[in-house]
Amino acid sequence: MTTIELALVPKYSVHIGYGLLETIKLEHQNIAVFADMALQGVADALCRVLEPAGRVRLFLLPSGEATKQMSIYADSLSWLSSEGFGRDGAILALGGGATSDLAGFVAATFLRGLPFYIVPTTLLAIVDASVGGKTAINLPEGKNLVGAFHQPSGVWASLELLSTLPGREFRSGAAELFKHGLLARPELCAKVLEPGFGPHTADLEEILARAVEVKAELVVRDSQDRGVRTVLNFGHTLAHALEGLTAYEMPHGEAVAYGMHYAALLSELAGFANLTAWTRAFLDYQQPMRLPKFPWEQLERFIKRDKKADSRGVRYVLLEDLARPCVQYVPNHLQHLAWERLCGDGAESS
Amino acid sequence: MTTIELALVPKYSVHIGYGLLETIKLEHQNIAVFADMALQGVADALCRVLEPAGRVRLFLLPSGEATKQMSIYADSLSWLSSEGFGRDGAILALGGGATSDLAGFVAATFLRGLPFYIVPTTLLAIVDASVGGKTAINLPEGKNLVGAFHQPSGVWASLELLSTLPGREFRSGAAELFKHGLLARPELCAKVLEPGFGPHTADLEEILARAVEVKAELVVRDSQDRGVRTVLNFGHTLAHALEGLTAYEMPHGEAVAYGMHYAALLSELAGFANLTAWTRAFLDYQQPMRLPKFPWEQLERFIKRDKKADSRGVRYVLLEDLARPCVQYVPNHLQHLAWERLCGDGAESS
């Protein structure tokens, strides 16, 4: 097992390894487990592990982005209250990034905040959602527009869970891993592009630990996302728009893969290094769903509501070169041009 | 004008005086004013004051607790998004405590947090809701069960607004002022009980500044409400139950007045000083609506969901003596007995 300590206040640890579920001990008298309903068997087993410590209750959530709705948020809060949870309660999320986004926002706001733990079950959740304390739900107007910062008190990533998922889910989540490589550790990109990279890769624990470290370093330097941490949004501006316009039919990791290629195209247009060979190679590895060629005006409407948009325009995370991210406003005509190139170069069907 | 500085991070000021609305300047390009719909005229005037600095949009909210609903919260967020508010936006609440509770929770969670300002228009909001950063909405299961800590960046209490309110509203709000007196500055209690105390009292600015200081000191010592700040809940455990059971027909300040008398009865039962003459004198001043004599079992169900309840029982704020609050679990039979006494001693009709 590898343990990464995050030097936040209070500090907490991310544990990465195999067979970790059996080892989880929480010192709370009342524990609410919020689990993806597709994981009911794992959830039941986890509840049995936790039960010796106190009262454990299970609330099953819809799978995927469907759970990040206002109505599910409201139901979750009412359920906690009707089950008698008080300030001595704690919340544990079992599932992918959507599950921990919703459960984390519930934990951040029920009684103005309960302790929160995460057992991430997807690659994406391990390298991204579990670290950093961002929680969120969606509005009809766009993704992650509502939320709070609420750091977990502990994370257990048990990698045998990854083998139970469809290959597409793993490759989707690899987008965030690849992103961490581009931003700070290019050797991680090379690992992802090695033939056969998957849930059974021998040094997966080591690779994921390095990816989590990239994020952990940025989060510790900027827990409220007002500075350096912004670079983690690389690829996400276009991604959120694609997710919104496809009503979340496109998985987050696939949208991020297109978003990274788009950001690489923008970076080149802005006069920086041409890294599109890297982002295209990742698309070839991932094999995302076909890119829907929305008119630019439709995308623009979503992008203007992005959290990095303000009255001066939209700020993008670009790459000056490998491991050299920067943040800058990009003129609308260049955003439009890069979108035309993304649609035109057959990115979706190579 | 009196200014009280709160030494929080970042620090902010509460300004108390007359004619302050004309003086407000905010350095934000986009300002959303959330106002109680009963204050549309004041809101329009305030928007005109703010407009030179940037774009100002007005969202009118239902009056009173009705605004602290999940559906109004959701509508507020969608409205902000559809109006194109980004991270360079800010939110200003104009109204009583319910308005700033709702608007503050919106400000805490939209895009994970926008700057927040308050122009309180009721006595209760000035001495309580405007200071401390607690924001909240209600669930069908109880009051203030969902929320976040989000400190305002500035508060302007302009006392001429108090003269426009019904006398009952002022007397209701005086409960929180009286509470601050009991907890820390008994001379404030004496001021409230002087004949003719009201919106035209000559030294009102000074009295309110002292009351705000009581709260400010506790908040600075304990911004997350995990320690000394708990004493501010004096009278509130019963109050929230009365509000819930009357579907908020009983105003907060009147429920707090009964709650303080109840807590004084509990304190006496617990062996502390008998301060019920003070709390009864306040009831005589305030003239709240008649106390509905709910069976204890009905109250108990609400009280058990209180934020100060946990699996060991319910903690109450009691008074060992004037200005000597303490927090302790109270056995159920004493809670029940004090309720019988409250119902039996004609508190509501003297």
Side-chain angles (χ1 to χ4, degrees), chain A residues 334-350:
Chain A
L334 290 187
Q335 294 178 55
H336 188 166
L337 180 59
W339 173 246
E340 296 293 334
R341 289 194 181 173
L342 186 69
C343 291
D345 78 351
E348 80 284 5
S349 55
S350 63

Side-chain angles (χ1 to χ4, degrees), chain A residues 7 19 23 40 44 49 55 72 87-88 92 101 118 141 173 184 211 266 271 285 296 298 310 330 347:
Chain A
T23 71
Q40 187 157 9
D44 287 340
V49 169
R55 190 175 68 112
I72 306 285
R87 282 196 174 155
D88 59 353
L92 183 147
D101 274 0
I118 309 177
E141 289 79 9
L266 280 179
Y285 158 77
W296 171 247
Q298 266 185 282
D310 58 31
V330 174

Side-chain angles (χ1 to χ4, degrees), chain B residues 31-37 39-48 50-51 55-61 79-80 83 85 92-94 99:
Chain B
I31 300 165
V33 174
F34 283 74
D36 183 322
M37 60 194 293
L39 296 167
Q40 187 157 9
V42 182
D44 287 341
L46 181 60
C47 288
R48 283 192 295 274
L50 297 172
E51 258 157 15
R55 189 176 68 113
V56 180
R57 290 287 179 275
L58 175 61
F59 191 73
L60 294 174
L61 295 168
W79 174 78
L80 282 170
E83 285 283 339
F85 278 88
L92 183 147
L94 173 75
T99 305

Side-chain angles (χ1 to χ4, degrees), chain A residues 18 159 162-165 167 170 196-202 204:
Chain A
Y18 294 84
L159 302 184
L162 297 178
S163 310
T164 65
L165 296 171
F170 185 91
F197 177 72
H200 297 289
T201 293
L204 189 62

Side-chain angles (χ1 to χ4, degrees), chain A residues 29 70 73 78 81 87-88 105 109 111-113 134-136 141 145-147 226 305 307 310-311, chain B residues 29 70 73 77-78 81 87-88 105 109 111-113 134-136 141 145-147 226 305 307 310-311:
Chain A
Q29 298 215 326
M70 190 62 72
Y73 171 64
S78 283
S81 190
R87 282 196 174 155
D88 59 353
F105 188 47
T109 55
L111 309 184
R112 296 198 190 92
K134 281 192 183 179
T135 71
E141 289 79 9
L145 292 180
V146 180
R226 300 295 175 196
R305 288 197 294 258
K307 291 192 290 302
D310 58 31
S311 47
Chain B
Q29 297 215 326
M70 191 61 73
Y73 172 63
L77 295 163
S78 283
S81 190
R87 282 196 173 154
D88 60 352
F105 188 47
T109 56
L111 310 184
R112 297 198 189 91
K134 280 193 184 179
T135 70
E141 289 78 10
L145 292 180
V146 180
R226 300 294 174 195
R305 289 197 294 258
K307 290 193 291 300
D310 58 32
S311 47

